[in-house]
Amino acid sequence: MDVKTDILIIGSGIASLQAARLLGQYFQVQIVTKSSVKTSSSYRAQGGIAAVTSPEDHIKFHITDTLSAGEYHHENKFVDVLIKDGMTIIQQLLLDGLPIDRQDNGEPALGLEGAHSHHRILHAGGDRTGQILIDYLLQHLSPNVHMNSNEMAFELLLNTDGACIGVMTKSDKGIKRYFAHHVILASGGAAALYASTSNYTTNTGDGIALAYRAGAAISDMEFMQFHPSLLWCNNEAKGLVSEAVRGAGGIFVNAERQPIMVGVHPLLDLAPRHVTAHTLYTKRTFGQETFIDISSIQGFGDKFPTITKLCMDNGIDLQNGLIPVAPGSHFLMGGVIADDTGRTSISNLYAVGEVACTGVHGANRLASNSLLEGITFGQKMAQFIIQTGCKQTNFTLAVAHCHQSMPALFTKENLQQTMMQLLGIVRNPLDMQLLIEQLPSLQNLSQVNVMGLNQQQLELYMMHIVASLMVHAAITRTETRGAHIRNDKPNSEAKWAQRWIIFQQGQMKVRNSLYEYHQTRGNAQAIF
């Protein structure tokens, strides 16, 4: 079955819906989502939106916090865009009626989270910000926007000029081909490659694998952020305990209620996430249990209803004031290289949200900048497409050359456990080399004919592509920077400052810039 439209969006989180809200006023828009609109990381987001809205705060403070948390591994001009334009866009949304929690005087109730120097986190429904924001955007979609749930995108379609003109999807009803003037990847991240994660099991990096197979440039795949506080029960992660809990006064403690972060970092329990996650990981490695002590937070159930229910559902008695927590995978800073209007290295293919790498998160994302990114860059991308219009005339498909059979793969559970063991919070070269040897080569994976695979097989195949990109990047960056922690190279190194590991067209290179048009001759170093 063929579907022709103006705009095709793959994914249904904040970035997707923000773009669709604006694009639907001018074009026909088709959204394809792997499961349902309410199983995205955006919908699950507890913390809030980081934006400057108070007179005590300033965009220069927010920019400084973003750069500091990300260890200065950024595309600085896009950080400026995120913070400055994001502030304006959020303020307009508030004027338009975006529902947020407010103080008795009507002013926004601003929260504090890790590595932020000021209270600037907008939240809604206590810890239901993502859910309320998604519902708000859904209510403001035009009838021109059509949602297609439970369809898995598995192959981008390119024309004879090399431009993206659509995608193939698979569902229980069979294969569909979508053709569009503009194709947008908004498919989220890849934290579900790990056994312990805050993400839904469907967040397996499909969009990154799609883009890589099509020849798009990919970067920063070594930087997976591990959140320090996942609810930990019966030796498994049960969900996220928001950083906002520590912003409200919760502290990390051991079983004897002794504070963990004292003497580790000046910001204590609100240190950057790679610091807190590493600290808890180390404690647990030595057999210590770790908790958040919430005994100083008055009215916890009212402030954090989602977390309270999560604890109750898992048999955690909050009366003693302790929530058992452990680190787990949370957010991928890397992805498909895109600019602030979503443009990638393939014409008419855009990437926005967690699937994209714009250089705004650096080596470690600042808390609550993710919803800001989706809202801001989703709008900027939509405005660019509206100005560009629908001008594609060549819908002749290029000939595909993928004819290899599937190599041997891990099972999904084994891959997740192996990633946790060999490419987790702390890495070493022996483990990473072992993982590289156990995974099929990127070259073999890239040439697989995927037409006959079912949805489960497609997902597992794409997970292996993303895992391979991650481990090759991680073993290549021979330093510790932000969320990328190596026990054989515990410090950052000057030679790796402002260096990006780029994958494209079957090659991996180290460049002095995230963007090819900045690159001067001789700066690119081929790795293989």
Side-chain angles (χ1 to χ4, degrees):
M1 176 181 175
D2 289 353
V3 177
K4 296 180 180 178
T5 189
D6 297 323
I7 314 293
L8 172 66
I9 305 177
I10 302 168
S12 59
I14 292 294
S16 166
L17 297 180
Q18 170 72 334
R21 179 178 71 91
L22 301 169
L23 291 168
Q25 299 173 29
Y26 299 89
F27 306 113
Q28 291 293 319
V29 179
Q30 294 280 345
I31 296 177
V32 172
T33 186
K34 184 177 174 180
S35 51
S36 74
V37 71
K38 296 187 177 181
T39 54
S40 66
S41 292
S42 298
Y43 194 80
R44 223 176 195 178
Q46 296 174 355
I49 308 166
V52 175
T53 59
S54 72
E56 293 81 16
D57 201 0
H58 194 278
I59 55 174
K60 67 180 181 182
F61 300 144
H62 193 177
I63 290 171
T64 297
D65 293 345
T66 299
L67 296 176
S68 177
E71 300 276 318
Y72 303 97
H73 179 77
H74 298 79
E75 186 69 22
N76 287 6
K77 70 175 183 178
F78 291 152
V79 174
D80 289 352
V81 170
L82 174 69
I83 306 306
K84 293 176 182 177
D85 291 12
M87 176 186 69
T88 302
I89 291 169
I90 293 298
Q91 288 175 343
Q92 185 59 54
L93 280 172
L94 294 178
L95 291 174
D96 292 341
L98 177 68
I100 61 166
D101 296 341
R102 295 182 179 273
Q103 303 177 57
D104 293 340
N105 63 4
E107 292 297 315
L110 300 177
L112 180 67
E113 293 185 2
H116 286 272
S117 59
H118 289 71
H119 286 74
R120 66 168 67 98
I121 313 302
L122 299 162
H123 48 86
D127 56 6
R128 296 188 299 119
T129 306
Q131 175 185 334
I132 289 172
L133 184 51
I134 288 280
D135 289 340
Y136 174 84
L137 293 174
L138 287 171
Q139 293 165 10
H140 288 81
L141 292 183
S142 159
N144 292 332
V145 179
H146 307 277
M147 189 74 65
N148 304 274
S149 300
N150 300 306
E151 290 187 28
M152 183 174 184
F154 70 92
E155 191 86 312
L156 292 174
L157 301 175
L158 305 183
N159 67 12
T160 52
D161 297 322
C164 189
I165 54 171
V167 72
M168 285 196 287
T169 71
K170 183 163 287 190
S171 69
D172 292 341
K173 299 178 180 178
I175 292 176
K176 285 166 71 173
R177 295 193 306 178
Y178 290 85
F179 291 92
H181 295 265
H182 302 276
V183 178
I184 299 167
L185 291 173
S187 50
L193 264 71
Y194 289 86
S196 297
T197 180
S198 64
N199 284 204
Y200 284 108
T201 58
T202 51
N203 290 357
T204 50
D206 304 342
I208 297 169
L210 285 172
Y212 178 75
R213 274 177 54 92
I218 313 292
S219 188
D220 278 357
M221 294 300 290
E222 65 270 40
F223 296 118
M224 172 63 75
Q225 182 181 84
F226 288 83
H227 199 289
S229 56
L230 274 58
L231 181 66
W232 192 253
C233 301
N234 301 320
N235 290 317
E236 63 180 4
K238 299 293 187 179
L240 185 67
V241 180
S242 170
E243 201 158 290
V245 170
R246 283 172 280 131
I251 60 171
F252 287 124
V253 298
N254 60 21
E256 287 73 42
R257 292 185 183 262
Q258 297 169 326
I260 288 173
M261 294 303 299
V262 173
V264 175
H265 192 278
L267 293 177
L268 300 175
D269 302 273
L270 293 177
R273 285 177 177 171
H274 65 279
V275 176
T276 51
H278 189 197
T279 302
L280 266 68
Y281 167 83
T282 302
K283 295 291 185 183
R284 298 183 66 82
T285 298
F286 286 99
Q288 295 188 35
E289 293 182 280
T290 48
F291 303 84
I292 298 179
D293 186 340
I294 62 168
S295 57
S296 68
I297 303 175
Q298 299 297 317
F300 183 88
D302 294 331
K303 292 178 180 176
F304 302 103
T306 302
I307 297 169
T308 298
K309 185 177 186 303
L310 180 67
C311 290
M312 292 176 61
D313 289 346
N314 286 280
I316 303 301
D317 182 9
L318 295 181
Q319 294 300 313
N320 70 358
L322 293 179
I323 300 177
V325 293
S329 60
H330 183 59
F331 188 94
L332 180 64
M333 277 69 76
V336 185
I337 297 177
D339 66 11
D340 60 332
T341 62
R343 289 177 294 179
T344 71
S345 59
I346 295 178
S347 295
N348 299 348
L349 177 67
Y350 303 79
V352 67
E354 192 175 350
V355 73
C357 178
T358 60
V360 298
H361 299 310
N364 189 42
R365 174 177 64 82
L366 181 66
S368 290
N369 268 2
S370 54
L371 293 184
L372 180 69
E373 177 193 18
I375 291 168
T376 303
F377 289 165
Q379 178 159 322
K380 291 186 70 65
M381 177 183 64
Q383 290 169 339
F384 174 81
I385 292 173
I386 291 166
Q387 293 171 359
T388 302
C390 294
K391 301 175 182 177
Q392 180 60 257
T393 58
N394 180 5
F395 285 92
T396 302
L397 287 171
V399 178
H401 298 286
C402 296
H403 304 295
Q404 276 194 212
S405 59
M406 183 71 75
L409 303 178
F410 286 97
T411 66
K412 183 174 182 178
E413 293 75 15
N414 284 345
L415 179 60
Q416 291 168 325
Q417 291 290 346
T418 302
M419 289 289 286
M420 204 76 207
Q421 293 165 7
L422 304 184
L423 197 69
I425 297 176
V426 178
R427 293 107 183 247
N428 68 74
L430 294 178
D431 283 346
M432 291 187 285
Q433 185 59 44
L434 178 61
L435 179 56
I436 287 172
E437 293 169 0
Q438 292 178 355
L439 290 168
S441 73
L442 276 169
Q443 182 177 3
N444 288 342
L445 287 168
S446 299
Q447 298 303 313
V448 169
N449 184 340
V450 297
M451 286 299 294
L453 304 180
N454 62 34
Q455 287 174 275
Q456 291 74 27
Q457 291 168 329
L458 286 167
E459 181 181 75
L460 184 61
Y461 162 71
M462 292 181 182
M463 289 174 72
H464 279 72
I465 291 178
V466 177
S468 190
L469 292 170
M470 291 173 68
V471 69
H472 278 290
I475 202 169
T476 301
R477 182 175 289 277
T478 53
E479 66 162 356
T480 287
R481 188 176 297 271
H484 177 59
I485 300 171
R486 289 183 56 150
N487 60 11
D488 64 317
K489 299 285 185 178
N491 301 310
S492 61
E493 296 185 4
K495 68 180 181 180
W496 278 106
Q498 295 295 295
R499 299 281 275 171
W500 278 266
I501 300 168
I502 314 289
F503 298 88
Q504 188 175 17
Q505 301 287 358
Q507 290 189 317
M508 181 172 71
K509 298 180 179 179
V510 177
R511 292 207 310 241
N512 293 339
S513 170
L514 186 58
Y515 297 94
E516 191 71 61
Y517 54 77
H518 290 163
Q519 195 70 19
T520 57
R521 185 178 299 275
N523 282 345
Q525 176 189 351
I527 302 299
F528 63 76

